[in-house]
Each structure stands twice: as C-alpha cells, then as structure tokens.
Amino acid sequence: MWKLTRPDNRHDKLTRDTLLDLQDHHLVRIELVREDQRQVWVLTKRGHGEAKKLLEPKGIRVSALREEKYDPVTGELLGASYDDHSAAVTTTAAELHRVGIGHRFGFATEIPHRLAGGYVQRADLVVRAREAGVPVLLLEIDRRTEDAHELVTKLRRYWEWGRLLAPDAHRLTVDLVRSRPDAIEDVGHEKRLWRRVYPPTGREGLVPLAFVFADTTAAKVDNTVKVIEEAGRRYWAPRRYETYYQEAITAKDYSQAVPVVVTTLEQLQEHGADTAVWRRLGRKDEQSLTDALDNPDGDALYRRQHARAKAEDERRRAAEREARRPVCKRCGRKFTDQRWEETTARTAWKAGDLSVCGTCHADDVARQEAAAEAARLEAAAPPAPEDDPEPGRRRGWFRRRP
C-alpha cells in the first residue's frame, strides 16, 4: 500500500501512521507479519462497509471482505492466506504506478474471464492506463510455482476468451461461428465479448497479456519463456497476410493474436517499468512496454507495402498492355484505346479495316460516305435532253401548209 499510494516517498512513515489511525477507528487490522517483518493490513467488516460507500459509487470495485476467523482450539487467526504471490501482485502494481503506468484506482485484481465451457480464468492484475499508451493490460504474476505448460494453458484460455462473441451478436453470426469456429476471425473485434469488457487497445490483436516472473532465477525464466514461446505459438504468433501480392508483403497479420510480453519483478524494481525491460514473444531484444506492444511490422506496414505493390503491378500491367497495343499498317501510329476496343469487341465486324488506326479508319469512312453521296446525287438528277438536228423546227408527223 505504501508503494502504491506514495510511490515517491522513500519511507513508509506516512502510510504507517495513517493505518494506525484507521486501526484506532476499527477500520483496518493486521492480518499477518511476513518474514521480512512487513505487516499485511486488511479491512475490517466496518472498514469494508465504509470503503464500499466511498468507492463503489465512483465505479471502483472493492475486494471481498476477509473475515476474521480463529481456530477454536489454538486461538490462531485462520485464513491468513495473503502470501508472497499476493505481495508480488501488489508490488507489480506499485512499480507500474510509480512510473505513471496506471492510476492507483486503475488497477484490479482477480478479474474473472468466463469461457464458453463455464471455466473462469482469473487475471492476477488488470491495468488500465490509456494516458500511458496502455488502454488495458492483463498480467499474470508467477513465482515459478506453476509449470510452464500451465502458463501456456492460461495463454490459450485468454486467446479463447478473446474469440467469444458478444451477447448481442446477430443470430446468423452465432450460428455461423457454432458451425465453423474459424468464422470468428471474420467477425470484427467490436462485435466480440472482450470489447464489451475492455476498451479498444489501439493496436491489432486481442487483449495484451504480460507474464511477470518474481523470486526466481534468470535461467528458470529463460526456460519458461522458451516453452511458452514454442508451445503457445498458435496463440501469440502473427500470420502471413493472405494477399495477391504475396511476395511483396513482409508485414505480419496480428489481428487474431494475443500480444504477449514478459519481464521480471526484479527488473521492474531495479530499472523501472517504463524502461526497456519488456520482451515481446517472437522478438529478441527488450523494449519499453509501449514499444513491445506496438506492431511496426503489422497493419501499417501492410498498407504501405500493399499500396506500393499494387502501384507497381498496375505499372507493369500498363507496360505490358502498351507493348501489345496494335500499330496502324497504313500510317504507323498506335491505336487509341477507343479504336483498340472497337477492333477487339464483339462488334468488330462494324469497325472496317481492323489493321488501320482510328484516323485512317475515319478517312476511309469519309471517302466511302463521299462516294455514296456522289452516287446518290447522280441517281437523283433528271436526265439531260437529246440534241435536235434542226433547231427551231417543229417535230411531228404533219406540218401546216403554207
């Protein structure tokens, strides 16, 4: 609590004095003392009620009440299960908050994600830090108490949860996905369940997931990450884009993948969560959290490469078409697009001499029309009178006597 509420304070005196004051008012109590002598404080029943009145109207969820129960024989406090794992979760939140990743009320623990079969996958920690470039991040804190393949199973469950449809999905869409599960990949993320729970991430893919390892060795972390990377490839790895310009596209399709980053609590404490201590699965180097979550080889690169490939393909096609363009056998000029189309269309029989260009064809048509007009005029003209051998002499069988 000290690190989470007062990240800049070097000493916990202010937090300790506040807790002691709350204890005097029976709002908090000490549940246990850890081996390093740090005390674990929890809300009393009265304090829990006061916290709900204060926080829930503001939309802040309050954890379940930890009731105070004692062994009837020994009198020892029961249910003091706030262990090192819980401390690691709280410390992780504090380290994120200390560098400005998440408001103190922007953290939530043990958030359930219900799968289609009824199983509930609970995230150790959920961070919402839009101002820091991380609208949402799910975190699993592991002190190497779980087998690496169990972490792969968790990754698979988050991937499956990200593929669930929203409750208000159209009936036809629901039927299609039930009959063919891969059809969910053609359904936009805004129509899926996760978008009803979390805001858009601002990046391709599903809700990002972070594995934070604590209280373990670097060798164990490396071995665990290798297992997650290999056995969980289907869930975190991007795919190739299905495109006509396959050879020209090196960008990767992250739209159906869970972005997974890994780090250790010790690195967060030593260097800070805002430094290059996060490694994205599939990459070699460590980066800052936002850089690790970004996809420089993703959709933005695809759009640029696709535009270049399309433009180059259009230039190539245009050059090939130009090379096939017919040349007039009479004047040597190339056909225009209109004349080319006239000579290759189904009505090419109307186009006259197919070996000449539009200009020469127009000349032919003009000559033909002129000849036809001359013939028409000649046919319409009256016949000329025959020559009279005796001009002025009347013609006929009888002549008047003088």
Side-chain angles (χ1 to χ4, degrees):
M1 183 176 290
W2 159 44
K3 291 184 177 180
L4 187 59
T5 57
R6 298 292 178 181
D8 297 326
N9 287 13
R10 297 179 60 86
H11 304 284
D12 64 349
K13 183 178 185 304
L14 179 61
T15 302
R16 185 174 66 252
D17 291 344
T18 302
L19 289 172
L20 291 174
D21 184 59
L22 293 173
Q23 185 182 40
D24 292 340
H25 291 80
H26 307 288
L27 298 176
V28 298
R29 62 180 176 83
I30 299 175
E31 181 166 288
L32 62 87
V33 179
R34 300 181 63 204
E35 293 181 358
D36 58 2
Q37 300 305 308
R38 284 187 293 175
Q39 298 171 331
V40 177
W41 295 73
V42 298
L43 293 169
T44 63
K45 185 175 182 179
R46 177 182 174 183
H48 191 268
E50 293 291 332
K52 291 181 67 174
K53 293 179 182 179
L54 177 64
L55 299 178
E56 289 190 349
K58 299 179 181 179
I60 302 171
R61 188 177 68 92
V62 181
S63 60
L65 172 65
R66 299 176 68 85
E67 297 184 1
E68 198 172 6
K69 297 181 180 179
Y70 296 89
D71 188 292
V73 178
T74 63
E76 293 182 356
L77 180 66
L78 300 177
S81 59
Y82 190 94
D83 55 11
D84 290 333
H85 176 266
S86 300
V89 172
T90 305
T91 303
T92 300
E95 292 301 325
L96 291 169
H97 174 60
R98 183 167 63 89
V99 296
I101 302 178
H103 188 269
R104 65 175 61 92
F105 292 142
F107 297 94
T109 60
E110 294 298 317
I111 298 301
H113 301 83
R114 188 174 299 276
L115 300 172
Y119 183 87
V120 177
Q121 177 62 53
R122 296 183 179 275
D124 290 333
L125 183 65
V126 176
V127 180
R128 301 191 187 208
R130 184 180 59 183
E131 295 77 7
V134 188
V136 59
L137 177 66
L138 311 182
L139 293 100
E140 288 290 334
I141 316 301
D142 179 45
R143 299 182 61 254
R144 292 307 298 119
T145 56
E146 295 181 276
D147 181 76
H149 290 281
E150 292 179 2
L151 301 183
V152 175
T153 300
K154 286 187 175 183
L155 171 57
R156 174 180 59 80
R157 289 171 181 158
Y158 286 119
W159 178 77
E160 291 175 346
W161 183 76
R163 293 165 68 88
L164 294 178
L165 284 171
D168 58 353
H170 193 277
R171 179 179 58 82
L172 295 178
T173 303
V174 174
D175 293 341
L176 177 62
V177 172
R178 285 177 178 174
S179 63
R180 187 168 59 86
D182 287 345
I184 186 65
E185 297 180 2
D186 298 323
V187 178
H189 289 276
E190 68 279 357
K191 297 181 181 179
R192 300 191 192 183
L193 173 63
W194 77 265
R195 280 298 310 278
R196 300 296 188 272
V197 180
Y198 298 119
T201 64
R203 302 174 175 90
E204 306 102 294
L206 305 176
V207 183
L209 174 66
F211 287 105
V212 179
F213 301 97
D215 304 326
T216 185
T217 64
K220 289 182 178 180
V221 171
D222 290 341
N223 292 334
T224 300
V225 172
K226 286 180 181 178
V227 173
I228 298 174
E229 208 160 24
E230 294 174 6
R233 178 171 295 276
R234 178 186 178 186
Y235 315 119
W236 64 261
R239 308 173 183 178
R240 293 201 65 181
Y241 274 101
E242 296 294 333
T243 174
Y244 176 77
Y245 311 109
Q246 198 72 38
E247 295 182 358
I249 303 298
T250 61
K252 300 175 183 177
D253 182 3
Y254 290 88
S255 62
Q256 306 303 319
V258 176
V260 180
V261 295
V262 298
T263 189
T264 66
L265 182 55
E266 288 74 20
Q267 284 181 299
L268 297 180
Q269 292 175 318
E270 181 178 357
H271 304 290
D274 57 344
T275 62
V277 296
W278 305 86
R279 185 171 82 80
R280 174 83 170 261
L281 293 192
R283 302 177 188 175
K284 295 181 179 180
D285 299 326
E286 293 179 331
Q287 301 172 285
S288 67
L289 181 56
T290 52
D291 287 345
L293 294 176
D294 286 341
N295 302 312
D297 57 346
D299 182 63
L301 177 61
Y302 170 75
R303 290 196 300 270
R304 294 195 299 270
Q305 290 182 334
H306 187 275
R308 286 197 298 267
K310 183 179 180 181
E312 180 60 31
D313 185 57
E314 290 176 350
R315 285 193 294 270
R316 179 183 59 80
R317 290 175 180 270
E320 292 176 354
R321 185 174 186 274
E322 194 63 28
R324 298 194 306 270
R325 185 181 295 275
V327 176
C328 180
K329 293 184 178 180
R330 186 178 302 169
C331 68
R333 286 179 293 189
K334 291 185 176 182
F335 282 26
T336 63
D337 289 343
Q338 181 181 354
R339 178 58 179 168
W340 193 359
E341 184 178 355
E342 289 175 354
T343 59
T344 56
R346 293 183 178 180
T347 57
W349 58 273
K350 297 181 181 179
D353 188 352
L354 303 183
S355 65
V356 298
C357 66
T359 302
C360 292
H361 173 64
D363 293 341
D364 291 345
V365 172
R367 283 194 297 269
Q368 292 172 3
E369 290 178 349
E373 179 66 14
R376 185 185 66 79
L377 293 175
E378 182 180 357
E386 297 181 2
D387 294 338
D388 190 351
E390 297 183 12
R393 186 176 180 180
R394 296 185 180 182
R395 301 176 61 185
W397 292 104
F398 304 99
R399 289 182 292 180
R400 181 179 299 176
R401 291 178 181 272

